Each structure stands twice: as C-alpha cells, then as structure tokens.
Amino acid sequence: MRKLTERMDALVATVYTTVLGCISVYPVAVWSEPHVQAQPRFWWWVLLIGSALLIQGLCAVIWNGQIRKVGAAKASLFLNLQPFVAMVLGYITLGTPISSTQVAGSFLIICGVVLATLQGKRTRKSHDDKLELSPAER
C-alpha cells in the first residue's frame, strides 16, 4: 500500500484495493455458502453500505494517507490492535461476552505492539548516536 500511495492519492488507492478485494472474495463467498437464502430488509442494506463507506472507507483512507508519514513497518505494528479494539467495542456496544482466551490474546497483542514500538525507538536512538560520531570514532 505504501508503494501504491506514492503513485496515487490515498482515496483512489483505497477504492482500488477495496474493489479488487470484493471481486476476489465474491466467488469464494458464493462457493462456501451456496445455499444461504437470506431475505434482509432494506434498512439492513442501508446500514451495511453506510458502515462500509463511513467506517471502513474513512478509516482506510486515513490509514493509507498516514502510511507515507510513519512508514509501512511502523504502521503494520498497529494493525495487530484491530482484533483487540473490535473485541472491546463489541463488548461496549453489543454486550458481547469476552472469554479468558480473548483476554490472554489481547494481552499478548498489546505486549507485542509495546515491545516492538520500544525496540524501534531503541534501534533509532542507537542509529542516531552512531550518526553523531565522527567517521574516525565509528
């Protein structure tokens, strides 16, 4: 995505990848659930499309625009927080129960993101310290 947003606007890149993803997933969805006969009401479609455009679309545009600033490696660390955030929001908004396995997984996710972020800061600091040394001191 970082390479794609270097060549085009974040909004265009988001639309492009979303459409490509939908086209790729559709045959798999039809194949895996061929006999599902759902009769959703009109307002369900409105909510589905609205949430896709507002929530997913807006977040993806912001995310793709910010990858240029922080870099793909640092941004990819925070993608790991999505399941944790979804679990917490599901509990808050829908009352979905949280299992002990989810708590343990969330703990591991948060620890991994914190450790990777701290490691990145330490690596950048040591790299900056080496740059301050004269060539003879290196």
Side-chain angles (χ1 to χ4, degrees):
M1 185 54 80
R2 182 181 61 86
K3 295 270 188 201
L4 193 59
T5 56
E6 287 174 359
R7 291 183 288 173
M8 60 180 66
D9 183 55
L11 177 63
V12 175
T14 302
V15 170
Y16 175 74
T17 56
T18 301
V19 169
L20 187 62
C22 288
I23 291 169
S24 301
V25 168
Y26 184 76
V28 175
V30 170
W31 176 73
S32 65
E33 300 292 333
H35 303 293
V36 174
Q37 298 294 324
Q39 299 296 328
R41 295 189 171 104
F42 175 74
W43 64 272
W44 290 358
W45 285 108
V46 171
L47 287 174
L48 176 69
I49 293 169
S51 69
L53 292 176
L54 291 177
I55 297 168
Q56 292 293 92
L58 183 62
C59 289
V61 168
I62 292 169
W63 181 268
N64 293 337
Q66 297 303 310
I67 283 179
R68 279 188 241 168
K69 293 180 182 175
V70 298
K74 185 181 249 184
S76 68
L77 284 175
F78 293 96
L79 278 176
N80 296 313
L81 290 173
Q82 282 183 336
F84 170 71
V85 172
M87 179 192 68
V88 170
L89 289 176
Y91 176 76
I92 292 170
T93 60
L94 303 173
T96 306
I98 298 174
S99 70
S100 58
T101 306
Q102 290 172 314
V103 171
S106 297
F107 178 75
L108 291 174
I109 289 170
I110 292 170
C111 287
V113 170
V114 169
L115 288 174
T117 303
L118 292 175
Q119 179 65 33
K121 286 181 182 177
R122 190 175 319 137
T123 303
R124 278 191 305 278
K125 186 176 186 286
S126 68
H127 178 68
D128 292 343
D129 290 344
K130 287 179 185 176
L131 291 176
E132 291 176 7
L133 298 174
S134 69
E137 293 174 314
R138 285 187 219 162

